[in-house]
Amino acid sequence: MMEKLIETFYTALNNSDGKTMASCYHDDVVFEDPAFGILQGERAKSMWLMLCESQNGKGFKVEFTNIKTDKNRGSAHWEAYYNFSKTGKKVHNKIDATFIFKDGLIIKHTDVFDLHKWAKQAIGLKGMLFGGMSFFKKKLNTQTNSLLEKYMEKKKLSN
């Protein structure tokens, strides 16, 4: 049953369907990844809405494999293929995800990927030089969260 939830989540991501993705999350969800840091509740759901909206129809593709679940936990490997919006550069990001479930939904979702490798692809030379440094991650988190704030304000989504 939880395996189906993860399949639904990533199929929705591949289809740029943020609403379905958000419906897989518990209201008290905690999401974490290198690009956004830690997001909770509506902020985590809104991140997927924002990302799906921005990628819709732009050649975004997701492949997911190796889904493993039990009653309370799960994991998956997924790969995203897209052009980074700020630079137009092609990105192939390889991500390992872990999940904790509650009430039949995802309550904790952690994505792990090589931020330095992502930065080299997405940003180029500056990403290659600085992508592995903590100040880069901090600046990226600030920028992504600022974009999320603006998106939520525009869409009148609660924080």
Side-chain angles (χ1 to χ4, degrees):
M1 182 174 148
M2 294 298 107
E3 188 172 313
K4 182 77 178 133
L5 181 67
I6 294 173
E7 287 175 7
T8 298
F9 184 81
Y10 287 120
T11 300
L13 178 57
N14 190 55
N15 294 330
S16 297
D17 181 359
K19 283 187 172 50
T20 298
M21 293 182 75
S23 74
C24 295
Y25 272 179
H26 191 282
D27 285 342
D28 297 325
V29 68
V30 176
F31 171 84
E32 182 174 3
D33 86 345
F36 281 87
I38 298 171
L39 302 176
Q40 297 178 322
E42 283 305 312
R43 289 178 61 77
K45 292 178 181 184
S46 295
M47 174 203 59
W48 292 115
L49 292 169
M50 177 180 79
L51 292 174
C52 285
E53 210 172 276
S54 70
Q55 292 297 339
N56 195 11
K58 294 184 182 168
F60 178 77
K61 185 177 96 169
V62 169
E63 295 172 349
F64 54 94
T65 57
N66 209 20
I67 296 174
K68 295 181 180 147
T69 64
D70 62 27
K71 194 176 129 203
N72 301 313
R73 297 181 176 274
S75 62
H77 176 80
W78 64 285
E79 299 188 21
Y81 302 83
Y82 60 95
N83 292 329
F84 185 58
S85 59
K86 276 192 167 180
T87 62
K89 293 183 180 290
K90 286 189 184 301
V91 173
H92 174 196
N93 199 13
K94 299 176 182 181
I95 303 134
D96 289 310
T98 55
F99 304 93
I100 297 176
F101 307 115
K102 181 180 178 184
D103 303 328
L105 296 168
I106 299 165
I107 188 127
K108 186 159 185 3
H109 174 186
T110 304
D111 278 348
V112 176
F113 60 87
D114 184 331
L115 185 62
H116 193 200
K117 195 179 277 185
W118 174 87
K120 283 191 272 188
Q121 293 178 67
I123 300 165
L125 183 60
K126 283 184 183 175
M128 187 173 78
L129 296 174
F130 304 116
M133 298 182 180
S134 60
F135 80 86
F136 176 86
K137 182 178 178 181
K138 195 175 202 172
K139 183 176 180 184
L140 181 64
N141 286 178
T142 300
Q143 289 175 342
T144 54
N145 278 275
S146 175
L147 287 172
L148 182 57
E149 287 293 326
K150 288 178 187 152
Y151 175 82
M152 290 178 76
E153 282 175 27
K154 187 176 94 178
K155 297 291 184 176
K156 306 284 191 254
L157 299 166
S158 56
N159 279 322

